[in-house]
Amino acid sequence: SYRPRPLRLVLLCLALVGTCCGMLSCTSLNITKYYHKHQSTLDSIEERFKKAYQEKPFSIEFTDRPFNHVSLELMTDSLTYIYEFAVGEKRMDDSLRKYGFDVPAINELITKMRSVECTWVNNLDYYNYNDEKKQSLIYISLWPRIFNSPFVNKKYYILTYFSLPQYFDSEGNLLVRRRLKRIRKINGETFKKINAKVCYTLSDRFR
């Protein structure tokens, strides 16, 4: 039987390592381009979710890779309800209507989320350093199909939309304050600048 020579094995291993590294590199460098390519849709998701959330709080999560099933967390004055539906299922509209949610607005959000492979959107409260006033941001998780590669662990791009411009260091890391050169972490993650109000990170978790 044929046995590859040691040199040929070494070259084959180097080629495989190079391919894997290239794939990993691609998956970690595309978020800014991805954001700008889909900016109008992503910004629309943020704006529409923020408006609908202020009327009645909720969150949307896709629970499968084809983005065919969605989980809704519906918050009322007394209780929080969690339901899972197939996209377009009539039972979803009935449940939203039952608890007083804006059915057309949420259906439009789901459509837009599917179009940009957005797996989760929610509101997140936070506090600034030495400031007791509660702030909020919109937290968007993306699961692009580029992460389907067998050589890449399950990863999510997280976008955070702030209502006010933020401060960053020379490397683009999100800071707590301008004069306090301390990196701000959200859910234990360090975020990088896309623009003055939008940041991103790459995470093992979508929320």
Side-chain angles (χ1 to χ4, degrees):
S1 60
Y2 173 75
R3 294 183 180 180
R5 295 178 181 177
L7 178 59
R8 189 169 297 179
L9 280 173
V10 170
L11 292 175
L12 179 60
C13 290
L14 288 174
L16 286 172
V17 169
T19 300
C20 293
C21 289
M23 294 176 72
L24 290 170
S25 175
C26 288
T27 59
S28 62
L29 295 176
N30 286 339
I31 183 58
T32 300
K33 291 180 180 179
Y34 193 89
Y35 171 78
H36 289 299
K37 179 180 178 180
H38 301 286
Q39 182 175 356
S40 60
T41 302
L42 290 167
D43 290 356
S44 176
I45 290 172
E46 185 267 340
E47 292 165 5
R48 292 174 186 274
F49 177 81
K50 186 176 183 178
K51 180 180 179 181
Y53 186 92
Q54 288 172 348
E55 295 175 2
K56 210 168 181 67
F58 67 99
S59 69
I60 302 174
E61 174 195 343
F62 279 94
T63 58
D64 63 340
R65 194 67 186 97
F67 292 87
N68 289 330
H69 292 84
V70 65
S71 173
L72 299 178
E73 186 176 21
L74 308 176
M75 289 157 261
T76 67
D77 293 336
S78 56
L79 294 170
T80 296
Y81 300 90
I82 300 176
Y83 294 98
E84 184 169 347
F85 306 99
V87 173
E89 187 177 350
K90 182 180 181 298
R91 191 167 56 95
M92 180 175 71
D93 290 357
D94 293 340
S95 298
L96 290 171
R97 212 171 280 113
K98 175 182 177 181
Y99 296 112
F101 286 85
D102 188 333
V103 177
I106 291 178
N107 276 316
E108 185 176 0
L109 273 168
I110 289 171
T111 299
K112 288 180 177 293
M113 288 173 68
R114 290 183 86 193
S115 72
V116 291
E117 301 171 313
C118 171
T119 193
W120 191 59
V121 60
N122 200 3
N123 182 84
L124 183 67
D125 294 328
Y126 71 98
Y127 294 87
N128 284 320
Y129 183 76
N130 284 344
D131 187 354
E132 296 183 357
K133 184 180 179 181
K134 183 169 69 176
Q135 306 287 340
S136 63
L137 57 84
I138 304 301
Y139 196 91
I140 291 177
S141 300
L142 302 172
W143 194 10
R145 296 187 189 280
I146 190 171
F147 292 144
N148 280 354
S149 168
F151 299 103
V152 180
N153 292 330
K154 194 172 184 179
K155 297 285 187 180
Y156 301 89
Y157 273 126
I158 312 297
L159 297 180
T160 51
Y161 281 78
F162 292 87
S163 56
L164 296 173
Q166 299 298 298
Y167 301 109
F168 303 89
D169 64 16
S170 59
E171 296 180 353
N173 295 305
L174 178 65
L175 297 177
V176 174
R177 293 177 64 179
R178 181 175 58 183
R179 294 182 180 178
L180 184 63
K181 301 297 185 182
R182 193 170 75 190
I183 293 175
R184 179 195 295 278
K185 291 194 174 184
I186 302 170
N187 286 348
E189 304 280 2
T190 299
F191 281 73
K192 293 277 191 178
K193 179 180 181 179
I194 288 182
N195 60 43
K197 295 183 180 180
V198 181
C199 305
Y200 78 90
T201 194
L202 184 64
S203 177
D204 296 326
R205 301 168 297 168
F206 70 89
R207 58 191 297 175

